[in-house]
Amino acid sequence: MSKNKTFLYIFLPLIIATCTILGVFLGAFLTPSNINDKNIIFPQNQRFNTASKLNEILNFIETTYVDSVDKKDLTEKSISSMLTTLDPHSYYIPARDFDGMNEPLEGNFDGIGVEFRIKDDTVLVISPIANGPSDKLGIKAGDRIVKVDTTEIAGNGITNAGVIKLLKGPRGTKVDLEIVRLGEKKRKLFTVTRDRIPIFSIDAPYMLDDHTGYLKITRFSKTTYSEFVEATEELKRNGMEKLIIDLRNNGGGVLQAATKIADEILVKNKMIVYTDGRTRNRSEYFSTSKGILESTEIAILINENSASASEILAGAIQDNDRGTVIGRRSFGKGLVQEQVQWPDGSALRLTVARYYTPTGRCIQKGYGASIDEYHAEAYNRYENGELLSADSIQFPDSLKFYTPGGKVVYGGGGIMPDIFVPLDTVGGTNYLYQLRYRGIIQTFALNYVDKKRESLNANYKDAMAFKDNFSITDDLFNSIIKFAEGKEIERNLEQILTSKALINRGLKAAISRNLYNDIGYYVIVNETDKTVQKAIKSFR
């Protein structure tokens, strides 16, 4: 082989490779800066931390992305997405949503003080809040608000959110309302001064019988404890010796409200709950002396939607052998959040600790693979048969604990009741569920009361009188079936007959609620509520 051929075979490929590498290297500097330039933000020799990296990425997206973006919105979405990777209960609250999410925990808001519904494209007052600004001026249930200041709100597609935006406002500010009252042709003008309006968290405190009281706690807010004391003292004056505390569907709230209520039930120096976290020292809560319910028999009602502070109260009662927990296994939220508000009005609720019941149980259930899976767990309980049978619930021995009285309790996924009550499916049909979930019963009841409010108030002085003396006639029952048919719910005679008793009870309770608020509803449904009846029998 000649020297020239040797050169071509051996050295030419090396020369080509070298040139190629050199070309790529030089090309990195010659490429236009808007195309695939990996170093346009930070030169190789510049160091930066994670916080600046996130901020620079957001800036880069804002200035370079193919479409225009809202950096503020992008930032808030980034924060929310980041928190979802921690646990299901740490979350971000944008400034625009802060008041709406915080008011239920505060237990009040600023407004005119009416409960309303939109009926026939008109704002109908269901009930003025007792002693609120509207009540003091004489605004009544059944009134139609047709104008707020200069804004006509009747017949123009007003929404609940639109009404709230018009009626709420800072304390001391005034709002002019024009109201149409049935039987009167001329509009009435009211100038209402907005005030602090309570959001009550204690519903329907009343006596089930001569010795048994009942009340429902819908949430735990900063005012719940004082409401609870006021309600139970009134029940005690009426002869209460036993109390049913209904925590079903109560998703929790303020920790201190639950611990203070437990303190009223437990004798001195009993542990209520303790919390512990990586950066938070262990904090223990013990009962003090002179609880107003120390000698009262107690039953706690829970279900799969009872969570957080509800589980703290139920766990404190169960672990101290102080009362009976009745119903179905609770949700299983054992995480403690702290809220931090930022200068722009937004806030962060971050999990900082876990709470433990007096026996040492952490009842937080597993997170699962995703937040959707976590929240779907309650539905999975139904699919697995747990809501119908306690036998389907299995806990490992490693989660077994013992109360001072020797009762076995379990951690790792909610509070298991002492007395299990399955989901009541008797009389349930697809026809009934359509009436409920499409709001047919509520709408029909609202229309009925709206037409007959005056005569109903004259004939039944209170909720108990209504419960004892009002009945759903066949004509009224047939009317709601016809009304449902007009709302495109097809008649199904077999299912209608199967569910007739439940339809009648639901309709009576809905009518009573429109007349007497929540107590009107519960005095009727509790008569046949199997969990409430189990609680009454547990005392006996």
Side-chain angles (χ1 to χ4, degrees), residues 326-345:
I326 302 168
R328 295 184 293 278
R329 181 164 66 103
S330 63
F331 182 85
K333 179 183 179 292
L335 303 177
V336 181
Q337 285 73 47
E338 283 184 5
Q339 178 171 290
V340 178
Q341 191 167 7
W342 306 109
D344 67 348

Side-chain angles (χ1 to χ4, degrees), residues 431 435 440 444-445 447-448 451-452 472-487 491 503-504 507:
Y431 183 85
L435 294 186
I440 301 300
F444 183 87
N447 293 340
Y448 180 80
K451 294 175 183 176
K452 297 181 176 291
I472 303 295
T473 64
D474 286 340
D475 285 343
L476 189 55
F477 177 79
N478 290 331
S479 295
I480 191 174
I481 302 303
K482 185 176 180 180
F483 179 78
E485 197 169 17
K487 299 294 183 180
R491 287 180 184 244
I503 296 171
N504 281 342
L507 178 55

Side-chain angles (χ1 to χ4, degrees), residues 429-487:
T429 62
N430 184 58
Y431 183 85
L432 172 66
Y433 301 145
Q434 287 191 73
L435 294 186
R436 286 178 177 172
Y437 301 143
R438 293 179 58 180
I440 301 300
I441 295 175
Q442 290 80 4
T443 302
F444 183 87
L446 178 62
N447 293 340
Y448 180 80
V449 171
D450 193 36
K451 294 175 183 176
K452 297 181 176 291
R453 187 182 300 274
E454 189 172 333
S455 62
L456 289 169
N457 284 328
N459 291 331
Y460 309 103
K461 65 177 183 177
D462 56 29
M464 299 303 289
F466 183 87
K467 174 180 76 72
D468 293 337
N469 299 294
F470 182 87
S471 60
I472 303 295
T473 64
D474 286 340
D475 285 343
L476 189 55
F477 177 79
N478 290 331
S479 295
I480 191 174
I481 302 303
K482 185 176 180 180
F483 179 78
E485 197 169 17
K487 299 294 183 180

Side-chain angles (χ1 to χ4, degrees), residues 193-399:
T193 302
R194 296 183 178 96
D195 201 352
R196 181 60 53 87
I197 308 300
I199 302 176
F200 295 110
S201 53
I202 302 293
D203 278 350
Y206 75 101
M207 295 295 291
L208 287 163
D209 56 40
D210 291 341
H211 303 289
T212 308
Y214 168 92
L215 59 81
K216 184 174 183 65
I217 306 178
T218 58
R219 70 185 68 83
F220 287 90
S221 71
K222 291 181 179 179
T223 63
T224 301
Y225 170 67
S226 59
E227 292 179 52
F228 179 84
V229 170
E230 182 180 350
T232 51
E233 286 181 337
E234 178 63 24
L235 291 173
K236 289 183 73 173
R237 285 192 288 270
N238 291 330
M240 181 185 72
E241 298 173 359
K242 310 163 187 177
L243 175 62
I244 298 172
I245 302 174
D246 193 344
L247 300 178
R248 290 175 294 178
N249 302 313
N250 181 327
V254 178
L255 170 70
Q256 287 74 17
T259 59
K260 286 183 177 181
I261 290 173
D263 190 8
E264 297 295 340
I265 299 171
L266 298 170
V267 297
K268 187 178 180 180
N269 290 333
K270 296 293 184 181
M271 179 177 281
I272 298 171
V273 68
Y274 69 89
T275 64
D276 199 6
R278 181 179 65 87
T279 62
R280 298 293 185 272
N281 294 329
R282 173 167 166 151
S283 296
E284 299 177 341
Y285 297 79
F286 286 89
S287 57
T288 58
S289 58
K290 299 181 180 178
I292 60 175
L293 297 173
E294 287 182 7
S295 61
T296 302
E297 294 185 60
I298 299 293
I300 305 285
L301 311 186
I302 61 172
N303 66 5
E304 56 278 1
N305 297 315
S306 304
S308 190
S310 294
E311 296 171 300
I312 290 173
L313 179 54
I317 299 306
Q318 187 178 60
D319 282 16
N320 285 291
D321 298 308
R322 177 59 185 85
T324 306
V325 178
I326 302 168
R328 295 184 293 278
R329 181 164 66 103
S330 63
F331 182 85
K333 179 183 179 292
L335 303 177
V336 181
Q337 285 73 47
E338 283 184 5
Q339 178 171 290
V340 178
Q341 191 167 7
W342 306 109
D344 67 348
S346 64
L348 186 71
R349 290 181 183 168
L350 184 69
T351 298
V352 297
R354 291 179 173 83
Y355 75 74
Y356 300 82
T357 68
T359 59
R361 292 185 285 167
C362 179
I363 60 167
Q364 175 63 45
K365 65 182 181 179
Y367 297 167
S370 67
I371 288 182
D372 290 338
E373 181 180 320
Y374 178 83
H375 290 293
E377 192 261 349
Y379 176 76
N380 293 336
R381 293 185 192 183
Y382 174 77
E383 289 287 296
N384 296 335
E386 177 182 329
L387 303 188
L388 302 176
S389 173
D391 294 337
S392 64
I393 308 170
Q394 301 294 329
F395 291 101
D397 286 343
S398 60
L399 298 176

Side-chain angles (χ1 to χ4, degrees), residues 27-202:
F29 294 96
L30 297 174
T31 302
S33 61
N34 61 339
I35 302 176
N36 197 28
D37 188 344
K38 298 180 181 179
N39 298 308
I40 66 169
I41 300 176
F42 292 101
Q44 290 294 326
N45 61 353
Q46 182 175 337
R47 301 179 64 185
F48 62 96
N49 57 35
T50 303
S52 60
K53 179 180 180 180
L54 179 59
N55 189 53
E56 291 297 342
I57 288 173
L58 291 170
N59 288 335
F60 182 48
I61 292 172
E62 182 184 34
T63 58
T64 313
Y65 186 63
V66 62
D67 297 319
S68 61
V69 297
D70 183 335
K71 183 180 177 182
K72 180 181 178 181
D73 181 61
L74 192 61
T75 301
E76 295 193 340
K77 288 179 179 177
S78 300
I79 295 170
S80 296
S81 297
M82 177 173 57
L83 292 172
T84 60
T85 67
L86 300 177
D87 68 80
H89 299 289
S90 293
Y91 57 95
Y92 172 76
I93 306 172
R96 63 181 178 274
D97 300 328
F98 180 79
D99 287 343
M101 296 188 68
N102 216 47
E103 284 167 354
L105 298 180
E106 292 292 333
N108 55 67
F109 67 96
D110 294 344
I112 69 167
V114 294
E115 181 185 351
F116 70 88
R117 300 284 188 278
I118 295 179
K119 177 182 181 294
D120 300 329
D121 211 12
T122 303
V123 178
L124 173 67
V125 175
I126 300 298
S127 175
I129 304 298
N131 298 316
S134 294
D135 183 42
K136 290 176 181 177
L137 287 177
I139 295 175
K140 300 179 180 180
D143 285 348
R144 271 84 168 159
I145 302 175
V146 296
K147 189 175 183 180
V148 180
D149 289 330
T150 60
T151 304
E152 291 280 350
I153 61 172
N156 63 357
I158 190 73
T159 63
N160 285 329
V163 176
I164 292 171
K165 186 176 181 180
L166 290 170
L167 298 183
K168 289 178 68 175
R171 275 181 293 173
T173 58
K174 297 180 185 295
V175 59
D176 292 328
L177 305 180
E178 287 189 18
I179 284 177
V180 172
R181 183 166 291 169
L182 292 182
E184 300 183 20
K185 294 182 178 180
K186 190 176 180 180
R187 290 185 176 187
K188 291 181 172 291
L189 177 63
F190 294 89
T191 299
V192 184
T193 302
R194 296 183 178 96
D195 201 352
R196 181 60 53 87
I197 308 300
I199 302 176
F200 295 110
S201 53
I202 302 293

